[in-house]
Amino acid sequence: MGVKQAIKSLDAFPRAEEHLLQKTQSGALVSVIGLVIMATLFYHELAYYLTTYTVHQMSVDLQRGEILPIHVNITFPSLPCDVLSVDAIDMSGKHEVDLDTNIWKLRLNSHGHITGTEYLSDLVEKEHEAHNHDHDKDHHKDSHEEQHTHGFDDAAETMIKKVKQALANEEGCRVYGVLDVQRVAGNFHISVHGLNIFVAQMIFDGAKHVNVSHIIHDLSFGPKYPGIHNPLDGTARILRETSGTFKYYIKIVPTEYRYISKDVLPTNQFSVTEYFSPITDFDRTWPAVYFLYDLSPITVTIKEERRSFLHFITRLCAILGGTFALTGMLDRWMYRLLEALTKPNRGSGFL
């Protein structure tokens, strides 16, 4: 018996007899409020526990000799698809043809609606000139000499008439797809460099009339992960009564995204600065949109993690216990207040 009594003395939650308990309306109101508060806090705490958070780590990039995918989706509202070309150059100076490339050109009418498509099966990577990305000078010079050698044929005349009609109809072009390039510094650009200088001069009557206004719907260097922000998405550069060359200097940061399920997504994020060079009467270059990219030697690893279960239990006990204690104090204060207010009325009833 002594042992049982000693154990009972340790009870921190003694029970009163049922007939000694008094239930009140104020206590019921406080109890309902307390239950609602505890249920709400429990829901938010559970959602907080189930939500993952990310941890960023940096290390030296050890990847070499891989392919860099460039996802492009750009609209040129003032240039027909027949005059636009996509060229890619890397800093190694290699001349590569038949790249593994999937690029489409969508013809757009004056209202921006698609009227036709063209598939670019071959993307020719041109020879890189040392210290100069503007290779179009020699390109146009060679084309000009070739034109004098072979003459102006019917195909060129048909091409000029077709493009002039498209310009009169205010046709545009959307270029989209994926460029697979070597994982080294380089650039790709979209321009009218695919035309020889004689045909381009006949169509536009000078470089100042080549309107390279563009809207970048999407530009990325790999698949997207949760929370990624591509700074050029949604960028619009519209030129009015002028022309020039846009250059976007891009710094690519190799990135690995590790999901909570242990799946790994290799991709890239980037930062960008922008420069615009207006065309003057003395310039021999033709307007274009350049994307010059370089790779960072540092790779970023982003890991999804979840908070520990013990941390969840600790916070849950604190929330529920604190709410229970607070509602208990509130119930006692309300009971004493109501008792103090009704006590004089009871006393006056006997007089």
Side-chain angles (χ1 to χ4, degrees):
M1 294 294 294
V3 175
K4 292 183 178 181
Q5 291 296 330
I7 294 176
K8 288 182 178 180
S9 64
L10 299 176
D11 185 8
F13 307 99
R15 300 292 186 271
E17 296 292 337
E18 186 68 26
H19 66 277
L20 298 177
L21 299 177
Q22 182 180 0
K23 297 184 177 181
T24 61
Q25 292 182 350
S26 62
L29 178 61
V30 172
S31 298
V32 171
I33 295 175
L35 289 175
V36 172
I37 294 175
M38 285 189 286
T40 303
L41 294 178
F42 173 78
Y43 171 77
H44 284 283
E45 189 62 29
L46 181 62
Y48 179 73
Y49 166 70
L50 296 177
T51 302
T52 59
Y53 66 97
T54 56
V55 177
H56 293 67
Q57 299 176 344
M58 292 187 295
S59 60
V60 177
D61 183 24
L62 302 177
Q63 300 179 13
R64 291 294 180 270
E66 297 184 1
I67 297 298
L68 178 67
I70 304 177
H71 300 263
V72 178
N73 188 354
I74 305 175
T75 294
F76 291 82
S78 301
L79 288 177
C81 291
D82 295 310
V83 300
L84 284 178
S85 65
V86 182
D87 302 308
I89 303 174
D90 65 45
M91 299 301 291
S92 66
K94 293 182 180 180
H95 182 196
E96 300 182 8
V97 298
D98 295 334
L99 297 180
D100 184 15
T101 304
N102 297 295
I103 294 293
W104 291 84
K105 292 196 297 186
L106 303 179
R107 293 178 56 196
L108 306 177
N109 60 20
S110 59
H111 301 288
H113 299 150
I114 298 173
T115 59
T117 62
E118 178 182 350
Y119 178 64
L120 304 183
S121 59
D122 299 331
L123 175 65
V124 179
E125 181 171 347
K126 302 182 182 298
E127 191 75 30
H128 175 66
E129 297 177 2
H131 310 294
N132 184 14
H133 292 288
D134 298 329
H135 65 286
D136 56 315
K137 295 181 181 179
D138 294 339
H139 174 67
H140 287 319
K141 182 179 179 181
D142 294 340
S143 300
H144 187 65
E145 294 174 357
E146 182 181 356
Q147 188 64 44
H148 281 291
T149 302
H150 297 91
F152 188 65
D153 55 11
D154 294 337
E157 291 185 358
T158 304
M159 170 74 171
I160 293 173
K161 292 180 180 179
K162 181 180 179 182
V163 174
K164 283 188 174 182
Q165 183 62 41
L167 289 171
N169 295 335
E170 298 182 350
E171 285 190 13
C173 185
R174 173 176 288 190
V175 180
Y176 82 98
V178 180
L179 284 74
D180 293 322
V181 299
Q182 296 296 322
R183 195 180 178 85
V184 294
N187 79 76
F188 71 94
H189 52 277
I190 305 174
S191 63
V192 297
H193 295 165
L195 302 173
N196 65 59
I197 191 171
F198 182 77
V199 174
Q201 188 70 30
M202 290 290 293
I203 293 174
F204 296 103
D205 192 22
K208 295 187 68 174
H209 299 101
V210 179
N211 189 341
V212 291
S213 298
H214 58 279
I215 303 170
I216 303 176
H217 306 285
D218 176 47
L219 180 68
S220 57
F221 296 84
K224 297 182 179 181
Y225 61 85
I228 190 174
H229 172 66
N230 294 324
L232 286 179
D233 289 0
T235 299
R237 297 292 180 264
I238 306 299
L239 299 177
R240 303 187 186 281
E241 299 181 358
T242 185
S243 188
T245 296
F246 290 90
K247 292 185 178 181
Y248 297 94
Y249 296 90
I250 298 172
K251 194 70 171 182
I252 301 174
V253 181
T255 303
E256 274 191 355
Y257 193 88
R258 299 179 179 271
Y259 290 93
I260 194 70
S261 60
K262 306 302 181 183
D263 293 334
V264 179
L265 178 67
T267 183
N268 300 278
Q269 51 185 327
F270 67 93
S271 61
V272 62
T273 56
E274 177 184 350
Y275 176 73
F276 174 71
S277 175
I279 289 290
T280 64
D281 295 331
F282 304 100
D283 287 333
R284 296 179 61 189
T285 60
W286 288 74
V289 179
Y290 283 83
F291 298 90
L292 302 100
Y293 55 87
D294 193 7
L295 284 91
S296 169
I298 302 298
T299 183
V300 175
T301 301
I302 305 175
K303 294 182 179 180
E304 283 186 350
E305 294 188 0
R306 180 167 289 152
R307 297 162 185 85
S308 67
F309 182 72
L310 290 178
H311 186 246
F312 168 68
I313 293 298
T314 301
R315 291 175 59 93
L316 192 61
C317 291
I319 289 174
L320 298 181
T323 305
F324 186 80
L326 181 62
T327 54
M329 289 190 300
L330 182 61
D331 175 57
R332 287 194 295 272
W333 292 340
M334 289 187 63
Y335 177 76
R336 291 176 182 176
L337 178 62
L338 292 175
E339 189 179 41
L341 293 175
T342 57
K343 200 168 186 179
N345 295 333
R346 293 176 181 177
S348 63
F350 292 99
L351 295 177

